[in-house]
C-alpha cells in the first residue's frame, strides 16, 4: 500500500511538472504572439490536424498564429529549445496528410501573414507572405495586366503550393511551382532566417552556387517554414479560346495531344476526362457530352493567332477520330464548355452520395499514358472501386478521383492496395508516384522505391544537417 502511495505521489509530481512546463511554454508563446495568437482549443487544434486527404485527423498540442517572420523565428527558437515538433499550416487543402501532427507539437498557422509585399510590374515578379492565396494574388493583380497562372484547383496558399511543388491545369504552358519560384525566405528549425537566393534578390535566372530555392520547393515543411516567396508573373493573354472534343479511345486522345504539342500550338491547358468521369459530369450538371474519352483545351495568345491555332487543333483531332469539336472565345461560353472539368470533384462525389472522395495522382511519360490509363481502368473494374479519371494529359499527369465509404474496412483496404498498385505501375513505366500532390504520409515507401537508397541517404543527410533534432514536420516525406 505504501509503495502504491509512493508511486502515485511520484506520478503526480511528474504530471504536475509536465503541466507546469506546458503552462510555461504556452505563456512564452503568448509573450511572442499575444493571447489571440495562441490556441489550445480542441476545435481549433482539430481543424489544423487534417487536410483534404483520407488520413485521420492528428491534431497538434497547440496552434500559434504568427504575424511576421520575426514572430515565426522567435516561436521556432522556443520550440527548438524545448524540442517541440513544428508543423506549418496554410489553407489545409493538401491531399497527402502533410499537416497531421504525428508526434503532437506546435502547428504554425500562417494565415495572418497575408501581405503582398513587393510587386515589380516591369520585372514580372512579386513577393508574397504565406497567407496569400492564389486567387487572392490574382485579385490583387487584376488592374496590372499581370497574373500568376499556376492553378492546382483549390485556392491554396502560394507558399503552401511552393512547399508541395504544386502545379495544375496550366503547367503544360507555364510550368509548375518549381519553375516559378525565384526566391524563398525560410525559417529553419533553430529559428535562423534563410534567404535561398540571397536577401532581396530576384533575377530571372542564376547559376550561382547550389540551388537552395528548389531544395525547399517540394520539401513539404520538413526542412523549414516558408515565410515569403518571390514568384514569376506573366502578362494576361490578349485572347483565350476554349475547346472540347470527344474521342473513340484513350490512345486517340493522347495521340492528338502529342501532335498538338509537336505542331507548336500555343496550348495552355489540355485536360483529359475518361468516359466514367464524363458520364458523372453529365449527370451532375445536366450536360450532354458524348460518354467517351474527352479532351478539354485552352489556347492563350493574340486574337489574330487564335483562329489559326484552333483550326490546326481541329484538323489534328479530326485526323485522330475526334468528333463533336466545339470552341468558344467569350468568357461565358468558355465557362460552359469547361464546366464539366471544373466540377469533376463534385460530380465524382455525387456518384455515391454520403461517401468520401480521395484523389491520388501519378505521372508518366506522355507516350505511356494510354497503357497506364487502360490498365488502371481494368484494375478499378476488377476490384469494384469507383474511380473516374481526370488528368493533365499535356504532361502525363492524371488523377483517380476515388469515391469510397470510409466506414467500410474492406473497401478502404481495397482502395489502399489499388493506390499502391497504381503508383508502382507508374514507376514501372519510368514515371513518378506523384506528379503534384506530394509524398506526405502515404507515399514514403514509394519514394524510396522511386529514387533508390542512395538518393534517400542524401535526402536524410540534408534533413539531418538542417534539422538535426527532427522537429520540422516529423514523419512526412522520409
Amino acid at each position: 500500500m505504501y509503495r502504491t502511495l509512493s508511486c502515485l505521489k511520484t506520478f503526480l509530481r511528474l504530471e504536475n511538472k509536465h503541466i507546469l512546463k506546458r503552462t510555461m511554454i504556452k505563456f512564452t508563446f503568448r509573450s511572442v504572439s499575444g493571447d489571440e495568437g495562441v490556441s489550445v482549443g480542441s476545435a481549433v487544434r482539430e481543424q489544423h490536424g487534417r487536410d483534404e486527404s483520407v488520413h485521420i485527423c492528428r491534431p497538434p498540442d497547440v496552434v500559434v498564429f504568427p504575424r511576421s517572420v520575426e514572430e515565426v523565428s522567435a516561436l521556432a527558437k522556443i520550440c527548438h529549445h524545448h524540442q517541440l515538433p513544428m508543423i506549418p499550416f496554410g489553407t489545409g487543402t493538401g491531399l497527402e496528410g502533410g499537416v497531421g501532427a504525428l508526434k503532437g507539437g506546435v502547428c504554425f498557422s500562417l494565415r495572418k501573414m497575408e501581405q503582398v509585399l513587393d510587386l515589380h510590374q516591369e520585372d514580372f515578379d512579386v513577393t508574397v507572405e504565406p497567407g496569400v492565396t492564389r486567387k487572392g494574388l490574382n485579385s490583387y493583380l487584376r488592374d496590372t495586366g499581370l497574373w500568376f497562372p499556376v492553378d492546382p484547383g483549390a485556392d491554396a496558399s502560394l507558399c503552401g503550393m511552393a512547399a508541395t511543388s504544386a502545379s495544375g491545369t496550366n503547367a503544360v504552358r507555364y510550368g509548375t511551382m518549381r519553375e516559378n519560384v525565384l526566391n524563398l525566405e525560410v525559417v529553419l528549425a533553430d529559428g535562423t532566417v534563410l534567404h535561398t537566393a540571397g536577401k532581396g534578390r530576384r533575377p530571372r535566372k542564376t547559376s550561382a552556387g547550389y540551388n537552395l530555392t528548389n531544395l525547399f520547393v517540394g520539401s513539404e515543411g520538413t526542412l523549414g517554414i516558408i515565410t515569403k516567396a518571390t514568384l514569376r508573373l506573366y502578362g494576361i493573354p490578349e485572347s483565350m479560346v476554349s475547346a472540347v472534343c470527344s474521342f473513340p479511345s484513350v490512345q486517340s486522345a493522347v495521340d492528338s495531344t502529342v501532335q498538338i504539342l509537336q505542331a507548336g500550338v500555343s496550348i495552355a491547358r489540355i485536360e483529359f476526362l475518361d468516359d466514367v468521369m464524363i458520364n458523372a459530369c453529365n449527370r451532375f450538371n445536366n450536360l450532354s457530352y458524348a460518354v467517351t474519352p474527352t479532351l478539354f483545351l485552352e489556347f492563350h495568345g493574340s486574337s489574330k493567332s487564335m483562329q489559326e491555332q484552333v483550326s490546326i487543333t481541329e484538323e489534328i483531332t479530326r485526323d485522330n477520330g475526334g468528333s463533336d469539336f466545339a470552341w468558344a472565345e467569350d468568357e461565358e461560353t468558355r465557362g460552359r464548355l469547361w464546366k464539366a472539368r471544373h466540377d469533376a470533384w463534385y460530380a465524382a462525389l455525387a456518384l455515391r452520395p454520403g461517401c468520401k472522395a480521395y484523389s491520388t495522382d501519378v505521372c508518366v511519360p506522355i507516350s505511356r499514358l494510354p497503357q497506364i490509363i487502360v490498365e488502371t481502368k481494368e484494375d478499378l473494374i476488377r476490384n469494384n472501386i469507383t474511380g473516374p479519371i481526370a488528368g493533365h494529359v499535356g504532361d502525363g499527369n492524371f488523377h483517380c478521383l476515388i469515391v469510397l465509404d470510409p466506414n467500410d474496412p474492406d473497401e478502404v483496404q481495397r482502395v489502399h492496395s489499388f493506390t499502391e498498385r497504381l503508383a508502382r505501375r507508374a514507376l514501372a513505366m519510368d514515371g513518378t508516384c506523384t506528379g503534384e500532390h506530394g509524398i506526405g504520409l502515404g507515399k514514403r515507401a514509394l519514394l524510396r522505391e522511386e529514387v533508390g537508397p542512395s538518393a534517400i541517404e542524401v535526402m536524410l543527410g540534408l534533413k539531418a544537417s538542417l534539422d538535426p533534432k527532427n522537429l520540422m514536420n516529423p514523419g512526412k516525406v522520409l
Side-chain angles (χ1 to χ4, degrees):
M1 178 177 177
Y2 292 113
R3 179 178 293 179
T4 302
L5 285 173
S6 175
C7 290
L8 180 59
K9 287 178 180 177
T10 302
F11 171 78
L12 291 173
R13 189 164 58 249
L14 290 171
E15 184 65 16
N16 287 335
K17 184 178 178 181
H18 290 317
I19 292 171
L20 180 62
K21 182 180 179 182
R22 287 198 297 268
T23 303
M24 289 175 62
I25 292 171
K26 189 164 62 176
F27 176 79
T28 310
F29 285 154
R30 285 178 172 155
S31 72
V32 174
S33 295
D35 289 344
E36 293 184 355
V38 181
S39 177
V40 292
S42 59
V44 174
R45 291 190 299 109
E46 286 186 14
Q47 176 192 351
H48 289 83
R50 64 162 65 92
D51 56 14
E52 296 295 330
S53 71
V54 293
H55 296 286
I56 63 171
C57 177
R58 299 289 186 89
D61 298 314
V62 59
V63 181
V64 294
F65 299 89
R67 295 160 293 191
S68 66
V69 62
E70 290 79 15
E71 288 191 11
V72 175
S73 176
L75 292 165
K77 287 175 181 177
I78 296 168
C79 292
H80 189 262
H81 176 74
H82 293 285
Q83 299 195 40
L84 300 173
M86 293 172 266
I87 306 97
F89 188 96
T91 55
T93 54
L95 293 165
E96 291 295 342
V99 299
L102 303 185
K103 299 183 178 181
V106 182
C107 173
F108 283 64
S109 183
L110 302 166
R111 68 186 188 197
K112 290 188 177 182
M113 298 173 66
E114 54 183 358
Q115 298 298 309
V116 177
L117 296 172
D118 294 300
L119 170 62
H120 301 96
Q121 290 180 237
E122 67 281 5
D123 295 325
F124 295 84
D125 65 62
V126 67
T127 299
V128 299
E129 289 187 326
V132 179
T133 65
R134 173 182 64 84
K135 289 182 180 178
L137 176 60
N138 281 327
S139 177
Y140 181 91
L141 297 171
R142 187 172 48 236
D143 299 324
T144 67
L146 301 173
W147 73 315
F148 185 72
V150 181
D151 176 5
D155 188 23
S157 65
L158 291 159
C159 288
M161 287 166 59
T164 56
S165 192
S167 52
T169 58
N170 287 317
V172 67
R173 176 168 180 142
Y174 298 100
T176 70
M177 287 300 289
R178 199 172 292 280
E179 291 80 45
N180 286 286
V181 177
L182 301 174
N183 198 352
L184 293 171
E185 178 185 81
V186 183
V187 174
L188 302 180
D190 64 358
T192 299
V193 179
L194 169 70
H195 297 89
T196 57
K199 189 171 183 177
R201 304 204 181 278
R202 48 190 181 85
R204 300 290 285 183
K205 63 180 182 179
T206 177
S207 58
Y210 297 147
N211 191 339
L212 296 181
T213 301
N214 272 356
L215 174 62
F216 285 90
V217 173
S219 62
E220 301 185 39
T222 62
L223 301 180
I225 301 171
I226 298 174
T227 51
K228 288 187 185 71
T230 301
L231 307 170
R232 293 177 183 266
L233 298 177
Y234 297 80
I236 295 175
E238 178 188 336
S239 181
M240 295 185 185
V241 172
S242 297
V244 62
C245 186
S246 302
F247 292 88
S249 67
V250 176
Q251 184 70 58
S252 58
V254 174
D255 287 346
S256 292
T257 299
V258 172
Q259 290 165 28
I260 290 166
L261 294 173
Q262 288 174 336
V265 172
S266 58
I267 200 80
R269 295 196 277 183
I270 314 181
E271 295 293 292
F272 170 84
L273 271 62
D274 76 344
D275 55 335
V276 179
M277 189 76 258
I278 283 290
N279 187 44
C281 292
N282 281 346
R283 291 163 59 181
F284 183 75
N285 287 310
N286 196 27
L287 301 171
S288 56
Y289 287 119
V291 182
T292 61
T294 302
L295 289 183
F296 292 80
L297 308 98
E298 188 166 276
F299 310 85
H300 293 176
S302 67
S303 299
K304 197 173 183 180
S305 67
M306 284 296 95
Q307 191 164 352
E308 181 186 4
Q309 306 291 337
V310 172
S311 178
I312 293 170
T313 301
E314 184 173 11
E315 183 179 346
I316 289 171
T317 56
R318 188 169 56 247
D319 289 346
N320 285 286
S323 60
D324 302 321
F325 187 92
W327 66 280
E329 188 169 3
D330 67 280
E331 188 172 353
E332 184 179 347
T333 310
R334 285 195 296 112
R336 285 202 301 270
L337 281 182
W338 273 89
K339 188 166 182 58
R341 178 61 183 98
H342 288 318
D343 290 345
W345 177 266
Y346 304 104
L349 267 175
L351 290 172
R352 294 181 65 186
C355 289
K356 187 175 177 63
Y358 165 58
S359 177
T360 187
D361 85 310
V362 296
C363 187
V364 296
I366 298 175
S367 63
R368 307 301 297 272
L369 205 55
Q371 180 185 352
I372 192 171
I373 288 178
V374 168
E375 291 181 8
T376 299
K377 287 173 70 64
E378 291 172 352
D379 194 346
L380 288 165
I381 293 167
R382 188 165 55 248
N383 289 280
N384 193 28
I385 295 172
T386 304
I389 291 173
H392 316 311
V393 69
D395 47 26
N397 181 206
F398 74 95
H399 309 260
C400 279
L401 307 182
I402 301 168
V403 188
L404 73 158
D405 179 0
N407 298 313
D408 182 343
D410 176 67
E411 184 175 14
V412 170
Q413 181 56 48
R414 281 187 285 116
V415 168
H416 175 72
S417 299
F418 163 78
T419 58
E420 293 207 336
R421 287 194 301 275
L422 172 60
R424 292 192 171 98
R425 194 175 294 127
L427 296 182
M429 296 183 187
D430 303 327
T432 174
C433 66
T434 175
E436 57 187 15
H437 291 180
I439 296 297
L441 274 177
K443 293 187 175 181
R444 290 173 294 173
L446 293 163
L447 175 64
R448 178 175 288 273
E449 292 179 31
E450 179 171 330
V451 302
S454 297
I456 291 292
E457 286 302 313
V458 172
M459 292 184 195
L460 288 169
L462 290 166
K463 169 75 169 171
S465 175
L466 293 168
D467 179 22
K469 295 183 180 181
N470 191 28
L471 299 178
M472 298 305 310
N473 209 7
K476 315 296 169 49
V477 182
L478 299 173

